[in-house]
Amino acid sequence: MMSTEENRNVNPEVEEELSEEKLNEQRMIRREKLKKLQDMGRNPFLVESWDITAFSMDIKENFEEMEGKAVSLAGRMMANRHMGKASFIDIQDKQGRIQAYVRQDAITDEEYQIFLTYDIGDIVGIEGEVFKTRHGEISIKVARLVLLSKSLQVLPNKFHGLKDQDQRYRQRYVDLIVNPEVRNTFIQRSKISHTIKKVLEDDFGFLEVDTPILTTIAGGANARPFATHHNTLDLDMKMRISNELFLKRLIVGGLDRVYEMGKMFRNEGMDRNHNPEYTSMECYMAYGNMEDMMDVTEQVISKAALAATGSMVIEYQGKSFDLTPPWRRLNMADAIKEITGVDFAVINTDEEARDAAIKQGMDKDEVKKMTRGKILAEMFEEFCEDVPEYLDGPVFIVGHPVEISPLAKRDANDPRITRRFEGYINGWEVCNAFSELNDPIDQYERFKEQQAQLDDGSDDEAHPMDEDFVNALEVGLPPTGGLGIGIDRIIMLITDAPSIRDVMLFPTMKPIEK
């Protein structure tokens, strides 16, 4: 049997931060403890299962019903307080923490001496009776305790925590253990995703589908794709930047309402709102239009907030946003007029637009080849998007020029713009939607223009030609409304997360050089 004096439990929850030398010493001690357990025939890594009958919060919330009953639970030991022949330990399971009371005379002398060698971070199974201590804390009186897995690393202590932000992202498994609020963020994320799907399916009748991630043409958006190679087919391929064109093919095929929530990949910059791998939801509704997609947007986002927080009013970084439908509508040209005074209602030529842009301080060389529509979009982006609180919303921006909307239907009253909207909350674009272009001739011409920009290098994010998609449109696409929502940004807003990395379990990170 192990000597508890020689191998006494070292609790890392000390006030002073451990040095690397001390950490290495602690790790070696843990390995020595494991070896002695194995030599005794008590290798924890041979344990395959544990029968769980209760969880921490369920016990606490239903104490009157659970008091005096035998329970079996398992989790990670996060604290211990040894007092001679009795100890208190905190067990952390998927719901939270609960205290366990371990007495030497309840589990035998030998078992108690072995238990005293267990470390913070070890995973244990306990069986015992639910009771309340003299101090009123709901606890488990342990009758049996088994080491289910030995932790060979030292968890960050409660005083210093996992301080380095990059390390938190790289070692999310540790972050989840020591920071309950992080765990809660991802529980909320799951609720949000589930609610969005539920609203789409139950309220609007959408069918969930799966479309390819690898494709020869990365279409459906204006973005730079990741390139890869299929060895068997000896074929250069790209990772999808959108699933729009596949989903619209399904509408052509008669699946009238389809949606997909999944990963997209764009080989672009990274900041607090952007990650090259992110989650998007796109849905398409046959016989629907832009206004129908506004309704879908309002419902899925407001109800997701309600499910995760209990309210449609969310707090983000000290600001409040009321997501209750209906949301405000704002025309892009009207926004430019409000902020700059430039009135595109009286600007009808490319030259007039260029002159107005230059007077506002835009670079003369950059605008000299731009069309009126391209300049309108650039002015909105440059002068309106960053105005404090102007696009806090929620607000739908409408009136997008044809030049930046190659997949959207033209406006019947003004063919220079499209039936498109972008939704903004906190000044961030969170969604993009169209009355979808279903004219194959118009679509082909727009693809042709975009492909020319790719070929001459004037826009490396222009949309490539996709002749099979044009062929699908020629078969016949009904009037259709389409919507794409950036799920990660919505989750950031609802969970009050300052960075997109805070809502991704394993965000893209540059490997550490050794």
Side-chain angles (χ1 to χ4, degrees), residues 80-142:
N80 58 21
R81 298 168 293 284
H82 298 315
M83 298 169 291
K85 296 183 179 182
S87 301
F88 286 98
I89 60 175
D90 286 352
I91 303 296
Q92 180 170 291
D93 63 13
K94 71 174 186 177
Q95 291 185 346
R97 290 193 188 188
I98 192 166
Q99 179 175 268
Y101 178 50
V102 187
R103 285 182 59 89
Q104 181 172 323
D105 59 6
I107 64 171
T108 76
D109 292 350
E110 181 181 10
E111 289 296 328
Y112 191 76
Q113 296 307 309
I114 293 173
F115 153 70
L116 289 177
T117 69
Y118 294 171
D119 293 292
I120 301 299
D122 287 353
I123 297 171
V124 298
I126 62 172
E127 294 175 354
E129 180 182 303
V130 177
F131 80 111
K132 188 177 287 187
T133 67
R134 287 179 297 173
H135 295 289
E137 182 163 357
I138 297 169
S139 307
I140 309 297
K141 191 179 297 181
V142 177

Side-chain angles (χ1 to χ4, degrees), residues 355-371:
D355 290 342
I358 292 168
K359 286 178 183 178
Q360 289 298 313
M362 293 182 70
D363 186 270
K364 183 177 181 179
D365 292 332
E366 286 186 8
V367 303
K368 66 182 180 181
K369 291 184 179 180
M370 289 186 185
T371 62

Side-chain angles (χ1 to χ4, degrees), residues 183-194:
R183 181 185 299 201
N184 187 57
T185 292
F186 290 102
I187 290 172
Q188 285 184 300
R189 179 178 182 120
S190 180
K191 288 180 181 178
I192 292 165
S193 298
H194 175 74

Side-chain angles (χ1 to χ4, degrees), residues 437 439-449 465 467 470:
L437 177 62
D439 178 345
I441 298 171
D442 190 358
Q443 183 67 84
Y444 180 80
E445 291 302 321
R446 293 197 216 179
F447 277 168
K448 221 167 108 177
E449 290 175 17
M465 173 62 73
E467 293 190 0
V470 174

Side-chain angles (χ1 to χ4, degrees), residues 47-59 66 70-76 91-96 98 123-128 140 144 146 148 183:
V47 179
E48 293 189 44
S49 63
W50 184 262
D51 183 26
I52 296 173
T53 64
F55 296 98
S56 58
M57 292 310 296
D58 290 338
I59 293 171
M66 300 288 290
V71 295
S72 175
L73 64 157
R76 193 177 297 273
I91 303 296
Q92 180 170 291
D93 63 13
K94 71 174 186 177
Q95 291 185 346
I98 192 166
I123 297 171
V124 298
I126 62 172
E127 294 175 354
I140 309 297
R144 180 173 176 239
V146 176
L148 304 178
R183 181 185 299 201

